[in-house]
């Protein structure tokens, strides 16, 4: 059976996991190369994963024999140029979220990918998480009736060190964290977001404001068919990595995440009354694996990826609207048909 030759660009925390999964747990794929501007990191990763090829740039890796597809896991700012280059070289692409940092870039990428005739998947791996996937099946079967309210919480354990903000290579909270929930909102509610109103705070860490970022946010949503929603994101929850989502419908509710009958739950950095994951790589280990397996299978079977470039663009449009709402302290209307964001 033909194996898909895959290269991973950027072997930091996320790219390293994709490379390990491809090397060890996806029999239909062959990890043929890794690349990173940190050349030594690329070389070490290749040695540890027992593969021959490591490169200091995407351009170098694109020359590698047997390379069919590229996984892009560089910081956000470099996604657009990498997708463009990989598409121009005729490679299929799995790009980490966010697809790009501007709508213009994201639209250009969709055109470039379509012109090149390659496939593009965006890294919204929560869709592959067993609990989220099961929830979606029940929603589709009509078990909770018509979805009315979407609620989601996404909290990281530790905020990034200030030095991570300085190079300005990643998007702010809406692009790095909340974008997962923006995608879930569209997917689970089976509707498009039509209005966004964001509230943000830097109260416990005012230093991040100079980098255009925030520590926590709540974003209220309206959906096209009349449903409403609310998403909370928090960059430094201290007690753990905490992701929960609820979809409330006309006949019932589905809660993804922890829930029990204890009268109260106490969570702190010192200890919690509930078991809690402390990192996304642990909490979503199954999802990352299912995601990359599905990417490889989509390409080998010549089918459209389940999480498309269009999904990446639409979630990005909601993030752009949320950022504008945060900057202008007002609600923004979003048209995902025409890709416009106006107050
Ligand atoms: N889907 C998810 O759940 C999830 C989780 C974490 C991160 N991410 C995304 O993955 C991407 C990487 O995040 P991370 O946490 O692994 O970051 P990281 O800083 O740990 O790793 C980034 C790596 O990319 C390398 N790099 C930087 N610029 C490069 C370039 N131009 N070409 C090649 N390599 C380059 C760096 O040297 C580093 O090794 C980000 O876009 C982030 O938003 C997604």
């Amino acid at each position: 059976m033909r194996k898909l030759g895959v290269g991973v660009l950027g072997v930091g925390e996320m790219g390293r996991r994709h490379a390990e999964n491809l090397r060890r747990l996806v029999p239909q794929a062959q990890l043929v190369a890794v690349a990173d501007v940190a050349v030594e990191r690329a070389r070490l990763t290749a040695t540890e994963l027992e593969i021959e090829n490591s490169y200091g740039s995407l351009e170098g890796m694109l020359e590698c024999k047997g390379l069919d597809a590229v996984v892009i896991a560089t910081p956000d700012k470099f996604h657009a140029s990498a997708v463009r280059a990989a598409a121009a070289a005729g490679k299929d692409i799995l790009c980490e979220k966010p697809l790009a940092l501007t709508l213009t870039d994201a639209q250009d990428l969709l055109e470039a990918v379509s012109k090149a005739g390659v496939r593009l998947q965006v890294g919204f791996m929560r869709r592959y998480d067993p609990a989220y996937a099961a929830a979606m099946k029940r929603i589709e079967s009509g078990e909770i009736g018509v979805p009315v309210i979407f609620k989601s919480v996404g909290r990281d354990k530790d905020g990034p060190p200030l030095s991570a903000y300085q190079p300005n290579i990643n998007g702010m909270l809406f692009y790095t964290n909340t974008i997962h929930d923006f995608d879930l909102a569209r997917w689970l509610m089976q509707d498009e977001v039509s209005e966004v109103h964001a509230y943000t705070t830097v109260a416990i860490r005012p230093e991040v404001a100079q980098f255009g970022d925030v520590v926590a946010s709540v974003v209220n949503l309206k959906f096209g068919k009349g449903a409403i929603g609310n998403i909370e994101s928090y960059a430094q929850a201290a007690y753990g990595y905490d992701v929960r989502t609820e979809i409330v419908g006309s006949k019932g509710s589905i809660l993804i995440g922890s829930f029990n009958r204890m009268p109260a739950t106490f969570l702190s950095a010192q200890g919690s009354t509930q078991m809690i994951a402390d990192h996304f790589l642990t909490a979503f280990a199954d999802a990352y694996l299912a995601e990359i397996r599905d990417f490889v299978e989509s390409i080998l079977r010549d089918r459209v990826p389940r999480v498309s470039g269009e999904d990446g663009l639409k979630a990005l449009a909601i993030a752009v609207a949320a950022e504008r709402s945060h900057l202008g302290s007002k609600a923004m209307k979003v048209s995902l048909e025409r890709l416009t964001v106006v107050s």
Side-chain angles (χ1 to χ4, degrees):
M1 192 188 61
R2 179 188 160 226
K3 284 194 180 202
L4 188 78
V6 188
V8 176
L9 178 71
V11 279
E13 200 162 35
M14 192 66 255
R16 168 80 194 210
R17 170 61 62 91
H18 287 311
E20 285 168 0
N21 278 342
L22 284 161
R23 175 73 180 93
R24 303 196 171 117
L25 299 171
V26 189
Q28 289 171 300
Q30 186 182 358
L31 179 68
V32 292
V34 292
D36 199 299
V37 282
V39 184
E40 187 52 21
R41 184 175 303 161
R43 203 189 55 75
L44 262 176
T45 307
T47 307
E48 283 167 22
L49 295 180
E50 299 172 281
I51 62 165
E52 270 175 31
N53 306 306
S54 69
Y55 299 88
S57 70
L58 174 59
E59 288 64 31
M61 184 164 77
L62 289 173
E63 300 293 316
C64 181
K65 211 168 150 267
L67 185 83
D68 303 306
V70 177
V71 174
I72 297 168
T74 58
D76 306 351
K77 192 176 173 181
F78 309 112
H79 291 182
S81 55
V83 171
R84 250 180 229 115
K91 309 299 176 194
D92 292 303
I93 302 157
L94 169 60
C95 180
E96 263 310 333
K97 46 50 62 170
L99 174 58
L101 287 173
T102 68
L103 289 178
T104 314
D105 265 344
Q107 279 171 294
D108 281 358
L109 296 183
L110 261 55
E111 268 171 45
V113 159
S114 148
K115 211 167 123 195
V118 298
R119 290 176 196 76
L120 169 65
Q121 178 166 333
V122 175
F124 292 131
M125 83 302 168
R126 286 189 197 171
R127 294 194 191 196
Y128 292 95
D129 173 73
Y132 278 101
M136 185 54 172
K137 279 213 170 92
R138 284 174 183 249
I139 293 169
E140 282 175 329
S141 76
E143 222 168 286
I144 60 159
V146 180
V148 178
I149 306 168
F150 175 84
K151 294 183 83 157
S152 208
V153 169
R155 299 182 191 150
D156 282 317
K157 183 167 188 276
D158 302 309
L162 266 196
S163 59
Y165 290 95
Q166 264 137 16
N168 195 26
I169 49 177
N170 284 305
M172 49 99 62
L173 192 72
F174 296 138
Y175 299 81
T176 53
N177 178 325
T178 328
I179 199 152
H180 281 298
D181 306 273
F182 293 146
D183 177 63
L184 289 177
R186 297 184 53 244
W187 184 58
L188 292 166
M189 299 296 280
Q190 300 168 300
D191 198 1
E192 296 296 0
V193 168
S194 59
E195 192 173 310
V196 173
H197 199 162
Y199 299 84
T200 58
T201 181
V202 291
I204 57 162
R205 205 182 185 195
E207 313 87 86
V208 303
Q210 66 189 297
F211 304 108
D213 217 325
V214 299
V215 171
S217 62
V218 287
V219 180
N220 287 333
L221 306 171
K222 283 189 189 172
F223 292 84
K225 292 180 217 151
I228 53 174
N230 172 271
I231 301 171
E232 178 222 290
S233 307
Y234 186 18
Q236 49 184 84
Y239 63 84
Y241 177 77
D242 188 5
V243 170
R244 285 170 272 143
T245 302
E246 186 175 12
I247 306 98
V248 190
S250 56
K251 291 194 215 159
S253 164
I254 295 180
L255 187 68
I256 302 136
S258 59
F259 187 70
N260 66 29
R261 295 166 70 93
M262 281 162 66
T265 295
F266 301 97
L267 306 165
S268 85
Q270 280 69 48
S272 301
T273 52
Q274 296 236 7
M275 290 281 285
I276 191 123
D278 70 347
H279 198 276
F280 55 85
L281 289 176
T282 327
F284 286 111
D286 292 344
Y288 292 118
L289 179 57
E291 170 186 61
I292 201 110
R293 280 188 174 148
D294 191 55
F295 171 68
V296 168
E297 208 173 298
S298 301
I299 291 162
L300 288 174
R301 290 176 188 252
D302 199 18
R303 63 168 159 77
V304 178
R306 263 206 279 164
V307 192
S308 66
E310 188 82 11
D311 291 320
L313 172 65
K314 289 189 168 170
L316 177 68
I318 306 170
V320 167
E323 187 181 25
R324 288 195 199 157
S325 170
H326 146 70
L327 292 171
S329 299
K330 58 187 174 190
M332 302 300 294
K333 301 238 186 276
V334 192
S335 164
L336 291 177
E337 305 284 280
R338 282 171 282 133
L339 278 174
T340 53
V341 176
V342 291
S343 59

